[in-house]
Amino acid sequence: SSPCRTCPHRTDPPRSAMAQPSARLFFSELPMTLDEATVHSIFAAYGNIKSCKFMAGAGQAIIEFQSQDEAQWIVENLNGNIAQGLDTPVQCKFANAPGGKGKEWAPEGKGKGGGGRWEPYGG
């Protein structure tokens, strides 16, 4: 039987909330004992890295690869698997655009580059 798509226990985000394919990937479930140089070294085996930011306290990283094709291959082949140099599986998905989270929505169209701050009482 297939999983129920309307059950409240389902945790997958809706497709519209997922990041669009890009060269930027978000990695989670990384060992917190790693450092940024080690993270760079591990994932450089899978593609050409443009930038790498490791958040040690959270066991997460945002890595930008040279091309979307490299990133797509990594998401399809490494997500849920163990990367060379690690002992546990990693999770990876396309990252949100830099600063993109929460930028699109604004009440009554205010705040989309208009420079004005939204005021709840029309202030």
Side-chain angles (χ1 to χ4, degrees):
S1 85
S2 64
C4 177
R5 297 199 180 272
T6 58
C7 295
H9 66 275
R10 187 166 173 87
T11 58
D12 292 345
R15 291 282 286 159
S16 61
M18 295 175 69
Q20 294 297 313
S22 70
R24 288 172 44 92
L25 296 181
F26 175 78
F27 290 85
S28 59
E29 300 186 27
L30 297 172
M32 292 187 210
T33 56
L34 298 177
D35 60 25
E36 195 162 307
T38 304
V39 170
H40 188 283
S41 175
I42 288 169
F43 293 105
Y46 298 96
N48 298 304
I49 295 176
K50 281 176 68 175
S51 66
C52 175
K53 175 66 178 161
F54 179 58
M55 295 154 277
Q60 301 172 338
I62 294 178
I63 302 174
E64 184 173 5
F65 290 89
Q66 290 286 26
S67 73
Q68 182 177 324
D69 288 340
E70 287 177 320
Q72 181 76 42
W73 186 92
I74 292 165
V75 169
E76 291 172 357
N77 293 283
L78 193 56
N79 185 38
N81 291 310
I82 301 172
Q84 289 182 341
L86 295 178
D87 297 324
T88 57
V90 299
Q91 299 298 314
C92 64
K93 62 182 181 178
F94 293 108
N96 292 325
K101 190 171 185 179
K103 293 280 186 186
E104 289 298 314
W105 182 86
E108 299 177 23
K110 296 179 181 178
K112 286 189 177 181
R117 187 174 105 187
W118 180 75
E119 296 290 336
Y121 301 106

PDB file of all heavy atoms in Angstrom, residues 7 23 45 49 64 90 106:
ATOM      1  N   CYS A   7      -2.486  12.478   5.594  1.00  0.00           N
ATOM      2  CA  CYS A   7      -2.417  12.213   7.021  1.00  0.00           C
ATOM      3  C   CYS A   7      -1.588  13.283   7.729  1.00  0.00           C
ATOM      4  O   CYS A   7      -0.593  13.748   7.206  1.00  0.00           O
ATOM      5  CB  CYS A   7      -1.786  10.846   7.277  1.00  0.00           C
ATOM      6  SG  CYS A   7      -2.798   9.494   6.660  1.00  0.00           S
ATOM      7  N   ALA A  23      22.947  25.091  -7.802  1.00  0.00           N
ATOM      8  CA  ALA A  23      24.268  24.556  -7.484  1.00  0.00           C
ATOM      9  C   ALA A  23      24.528  24.552  -5.981  1.00  0.00           C
ATOM     10  O   ALA A  23      25.509  23.990  -5.522  1.00  0.00           O
ATOM     11  CB  ALA A  23      25.348  25.362  -8.207  1.00  0.00           C
ATOM     12  N   ALA A  45      35.354  15.523  -3.164  1.00  0.00           N
ATOM     13  CA  ALA A  45      35.476  14.259  -3.896  1.00  0.00           C
ATOM     14  C   ALA A  45      34.281  14.032  -4.827  1.00  0.00           C
ATOM     15  O   ALA A  45      34.345  13.212  -5.742  1.00  0.00           O
ATOM     16  CB  ALA A  45      35.588  13.095  -2.915  1.00  0.00           C
ATOM     17  N   ILE A  49      33.912  22.539  -5.755  1.00  0.00           N
ATOM     18  CA  ILE A  49      33.269  23.417  -4.783  1.00  0.00           C
ATOM     19  C   ILE A  49      33.654  24.877  -5.020  1.00  0.00           C
ATOM     20  O   ILE A  49      34.837  25.205  -5.119  1.00  0.00           O
ATOM     21  CB  ILE A  49      33.637  22.995  -3.344  1.00  0.00           C
ATOM     22  CG1 ILE A  49      33.061  21.600  -3.059  1.00  0.00           C
ATOM     23  CG2 ILE A  49      33.151  24.010  -2.333  1.00  0.00           C
ATOM     24  CD1 ILE A  49      33.447  21.032  -1.706  1.00  0.00           C
ATOM     25  N   GLU A  64      28.268  25.297  -2.210  1.00  0.00           N
ATOM     26  CA  GLU A  64      27.922  25.656  -3.578  1.00  0.00           C
ATOM     27  C   GLU A  64      28.926  24.999  -4.509  1.00  0.00           C
ATOM     28  O   GLU A  64      30.141  25.175  -4.366  1.00  0.00           O
ATOM     29  CB  GLU A  64      27.935  27.167  -3.776  1.00  0.00           C
ATOM     30  CG  GLU A  64      27.491  27.557  -5.168  1.00  0.00           C
ATOM     31  CD  GLU A  64      27.318  29.049  -5.362  1.00  0.00           C
ATOM     32  OE1 GLU A  64      27.632  29.824  -4.440  1.00  0.00           O
ATOM     33  OE2 GLU A  64      26.875  29.427  -6.455  1.00  0.00           O
ATOM     34  N   VAL A  90      24.402  11.013   5.384  1.00  0.00           N
ATOM     35  CA  VAL A  90      24.129  12.451   5.378  1.00  0.00           C
ATOM     36  C   VAL A  90      22.824  12.708   4.629  1.00  0.00           C
ATOM     37  O   VAL A  90      22.400  11.903   3.794  1.00  0.00           O
ATOM     38  CB  VAL A  90      25.270  13.264   4.726  1.00  0.00           C
ATOM     39  CG1 VAL A  90      26.559  13.085   5.482  1.00  0.00           C
ATOM     40  CG2 VAL A  90      25.447  12.893   3.268  1.00  0.00           C
ATOM     41  N   ALA A 106       4.789  39.519   1.736  1.00  0.00           N
ATOM     42  CA  ALA A 106       4.629  40.770   2.488  1.00  0.00           C
ATOM     43  C   ALA A 106       3.148  41.102   2.492  1.00  0.00           C
ATOM     44  O   ALA A 106       2.478  40.996   1.471  1.00  0.00           O
ATOM     45  CB  ALA A 106       5.423  41.892   1.847  1.00  0.00           C
TER      46      ALA A 106
END
